[in-house]
Amino acid sequence: MTTALITGCTSGFGEAFALRLAKLGYRLIITGRRKSRLERLAERLESQYGRPVANLCFDVRDCKACEKALASLPPEFSRIDLLVNNAGLAAGASPFDESLLDDFERMLDTNIKGLLYMTKLIVPQMIERKSGLIVNISSIAGVEVYPGGNVYCASKHAVNALTKGLRIDLLKHGIKVSSISPGMAETEFSIVRYHGDEEKAKKVYEGLSPLLAEDIADALEFIVTRPPHVCIHDMLITPSQQGNAYISHREVRTVTP
Ligand code: NDP
Ligand code: 8X3
């Protein structure tokens, strides 16, 4: 049975990835910081798909915690064939000069360093077996920059550079490296970005039909079901009403009396 480790499974894309990979027959390692959500998802995966699930509760910003969590895996989960680096966030959407240093650090530490720690820890066993697949969840923000996107965009540009660099360096070891670059998707992303302000978060998607986590799970399914000789470099996906990182066509809402 093929084993996948997905970071950030307690909501949004990560949860949808876990459900999709379980449906495809994977043995799963689900991770995140919110333990109760991980336990609930593990129960659902086991009861709905009958798949073995290990859940690891840790913060990807803490290298030692990543190491300890991986070392705690039971032997049947220790061979990881697919790593999905999904855990990430945007914190704030203000112009650079009005943004908080703490938000910058959270984004850089999670989106870049968390991805690096997990990849560095899991790649050696893939090299040993001369096979493996790494899928990094990037963003349209990794391709373009928009007002107020500053450090989030920088972090996702870094994810894209790392994806390309890893692909080149790991070629000789038979390891494939892909990325998915979604545009606007309604998950908990905007709630986190606006520091828990649900009203502000809702406004982001007003007048358009955003992507759903399942749309991005479709992309992951496409990548993981390619034959060994095919590597998908990147999939850039937006809602039909989104033209680029900052231009969307929103329907005007009319209020009927
Ligand atoms: P959610 O906020 O719904 O999910 C984020 C996940 O990441 C949660 O499971 C969260 O778990 C986990 N996470 C965040 N910080 C950490 C941390 N320090 N350690 C461990 N886990 C962490 O957002 P999405 O599902 O939308 O986001 C997933 C990825 O997709 C992110 O990398 C995001 O940048 C990217 N993305 C999102 C888009 C969107 O519009 N939604 C578009 C393009 C890319 P917990 O809090 O329990 O730790
Ligand atoms: C999330 C999508 O457009 O908010 O990465 O940057 S966007």
Side-chain angles (χ1 to χ4, degrees):
M1 194 183 284
T2 316
T3 302
L5 185 149
I6 310 163
T7 63
C9 292
T10 55
S11 68
F13 298 163
E15 185 178 27
F17 293 157
L19 290 163
R20 186 63 61 92
L21 292 179
K23 195 172 170 194
L24 291 173
Y26 280 76
R27 186 203 310 268
L28 288 174
I29 304 161
I30 57 172
T31 79
R33 289 168 302 177
R34 286 169 287 182
K35 195 163 180 50
S36 59
R37 287 204 189 192
L38 284 176
E39 285 169 352
R40 229 176 24 234
L41 179 62
E43 270 168 34
R44 182 172 170 197
L45 291 164
E46 278 161 358
S47 66
Q48 202 166 326
Y49 297 104
R51 299 280 169 242
V53 179
N55 74 74
L56 300 177
C57 186
F58 64 96
D59 188 326
V60 293
R61 293 173 294 179
D62 180 344
C63 188
K64 285 266 169 292
C66 297
E67 208 171 342
K68 201 169 150 200
L70 289 172
S72 74
L73 283 170
E76 65 272 27
F77 287 92
S78 59
R79 176 198 157 123
I80 297 164
D81 306 282
L82 166 64
L83 166 64
V84 184
N85 282 311
N86 165 71
L89 79 159
S94 304
F96 178 84
D97 49 300
E98 294 167 25
S99 300
L100 305 172
L101 201 53
D102 181 57
D103 282 348
F104 293 166
E105 280 167 355
R106 278 169 64 209
M107 289 188 275
L108 298 174
D109 289 350
T110 311
N111 301 355
I112 305 175
K113 288 169 80 178
L115 178 149
L116 282 178
Y117 296 153
M118 293 304 290
T119 307
K120 186 77 179 145
L121 287 165
I122 290 170
V123 145
Q125 53 154 291
M126 290 182 169
I127 290 178
E128 212 169 286
R129 293 193 303 271
K130 291 224 157 289
S131 76
L133 171 61
I134 299 167
V135 182
N136 292 331
I137 306 306
S138 183
S139 168
I140 193 169
V143 181
E144 294 175 63
V145 175
Y146 52 86
N150 47 72
V151 173
Y152 179 65
C153 294
S155 75
K156 291 299 184 176
H157 274 65
V159 169
N160 282 357
L162 287 167
T163 301
K164 290 175 192 165
L166 282 166
R167 188 184 304 122
I168 294 165
D169 290 350
L170 299 177
L171 261 186
K172 62 178 180 293
H173 300 296
I175 300 167
K176 300 200 279 189
V177 186
S178 306
S179 61
I180 304 176
S181 299
M184 276 186 277
E186 194 162 9
T187 58
E188 293 182 10
F189 177 83
S190 291
I191 300 174
V192 172
R193 176 169 231 172
Y194 291 108
H195 305 106
D197 186 333
E198 299 200 10
E199 280 306 303
K200 259 193 186 167
K202 255 200 172 61
K203 278 202 166 36
V204 173
Y205 312 106
E206 224 164 58
L208 56 78
S209 299
L211 295 169
L212 304 174
E214 290 69 28
D215 299 319
I216 307 308
D218 289 342
L220 180 69
E221 177 170 349
F222 184 78
I223 291 172
V224 304
T225 53
R226 290 315 86 203
H229 69 287
V230 177
C231 176
I232 304 297
H233 285 212
D234 181 47
M235 291 175 82
L236 174 62
I237 307 161
T238 67
S240 305
Q241 289 166 272
Q242 184 176 10
N244 66 16
Y246 48 88
I247 297 176
S248 302
H249 178 71
R250 294 177 194 262
E251 284 149 27
V252 180
R253 296 257 167 95
T254 49
V255 182
T256 40

